[in-house]
Amino acid sequence: MSFSTFLFTAFTKAQHPERLYVRVLQQVDPTTTLEDDADCFQMLCQKYNNNNIPIDKHNTTAASSNQPSPFDCQHYKSHIEIVTLDARHAQGPCDARSKLSALIEHDYLHAHDNQHRLTPVDANQDYCLQTDSHMDFSHDFDTRLIHMHQRARNERAVLSTYVAPMEQTDQDPTEVPHLCMISWTSSPHFPHL
């Protein structure tokens, strides 16, 4: 999945896309012309902007009108911050995630002194989702995740999962992928196994 597709599905599958703010750390090589090294917001606009690709009818915001509206990337421009790093100096996905986490902390600490980066920063942004660009979203993921978090009855709860293959998106939400297989064997060191 390309990053433009990732952004498109994030905004079109959210029940309340107007409440979604996305910070992207793109690691690109500015010396190439490869599509993977193009600016992800520009690619979003080129690929999906008003190209007669309707917003998903399952999305209740779009479904409130009789006709699904075409996607307009400019409508979401203020909801997306792109942080670009030269891929030739990249240090892997864990380093990229730590940079994004540092930006989230910075915005939290500077929410009221106009030094924040992603706007608006206010009390209504109580939730943060960290994911990778090769992930897909289930329909209404935004409200479903908030509901799951509220069911934990702990404001500091962290929801985590090993994601299922994209083919299983929007299937039975009670099924989760298994991370490992355990097999018991006999061993002279552990005869009870």
Side-chain angles (χ1 to χ4, degrees), residues 21-59:
Y21 290 86
V22 179
R23 178 175 284 136
V24 176
L25 190 138
Q26 63 180 7
Q27 299 180 98
V28 296
D29 184 345
T31 64
T32 73
T33 57
L34 296 173
E35 183 177 333
D36 287 347
D37 286 315
D39 180 81
C40 62
F41 185 76
Q42 290 175 358
M43 291 302 297
L44 171 71
C45 294
Q46 287 175 10
K47 191 170 182 180
Y48 295 105
N49 197 48
N50 294 320
N51 286 336
N52 296 321
I53 300 172
I55 293 177
D56 195 319
K57 288 183 178 183
H58 185 82
N59 179 316

Side-chain angles (χ1 to χ4, degrees), residues 9-24:
T9 59
F11 285 107
T12 58
K13 289 187 176 183
Q15 185 173 10
H16 296 284
E18 72 279 3
R19 298 189 317 202
L20 195 63
Y21 290 86
V22 179
R23 178 175 284 136
V24 176

Side-chain angles (χ1 to χ4, degrees), residues 21-193:
Y21 290 86
V22 179
R23 178 175 284 136
V24 176
L25 190 138
Q26 63 180 7
Q27 299 180 98
V28 296
D29 184 345
T31 64
T32 73
T33 57
L34 296 173
E35 183 177 333
D36 287 347
D37 286 315
D39 180 81
C40 62
F41 185 76
Q42 290 175 358
M43 291 302 297
L44 171 71
C45 294
Q46 287 175 10
K47 191 170 182 180
Y48 295 105
N49 197 48
N50 294 320
N51 286 336
N52 296 321
I53 300 172
I55 293 177
D56 195 319
K57 288 183 178 183
H58 185 82
N59 179 316
T60 56
T61 303
S64 62
S65 65
N66 292 335
Q67 295 276 0
S69 57
F71 183 80
D72 179 4
C73 68
Q74 295 302 320
H75 178 75
Y76 297 105
K77 187 172 186 170
S78 65
H79 289 244
I80 302 170
E81 179 190 5
I82 308 291
V83 179
T84 303
L85 295 179
D86 189 322
R88 296 170 296 176
H89 305 293
Q91 297 182 31
C94 291
D95 182 63
R97 288 184 193 110
S98 73
K99 285 177 172 48
L100 287 174
S101 293
L103 289 173
I104 292 166
E105 182 177 6
H106 177 273
D107 279 354
Y108 178 77
L109 294 173
H110 296 283
H112 302 291
D113 63 11
N114 292 325
Q115 293 182 33
H116 51 79
R117 296 175 49 103
L118 187 60
T119 56
V121 176
D122 60 29
N124 293 326
Q125 292 179 313
D126 290 334
Y127 303 99
C128 177
L129 172 67
Q130 184 170 338
T131 186
D132 291 335
S133 63
H134 55 88
M135 299 293 120
D136 195 4
F137 294 94
S138 297
H139 288 92
D140 302 333
F141 72 92
D142 53 336
T143 53
R144 291 171 58 200
L145 285 171
I146 290 170
H147 179 69
M148 282 185 225
H149 189 269
Q150 290 169 342
R151 286 178 37 209
R153 295 182 182 180
N154 180 340
E155 67 179 27
R156 295 182 183 187
V158 175
L159 304 179
S160 179
T161 188
Y162 185 83
V163 295
M166 284 190 196
E167 304 83 49
Q168 294 177 7
T169 300
D170 286 323
Q171 295 194 6
D172 185 358
T174 61
E175 291 292 320
V176 295
H178 297 282
L179 294 177
C180 59
M181 174 67 79
I182 297 174
S183 59
W184 298 103
T185 60
S186 60
S187 167
H189 301 289
F190 304 102
H192 60 282
L193 296 179

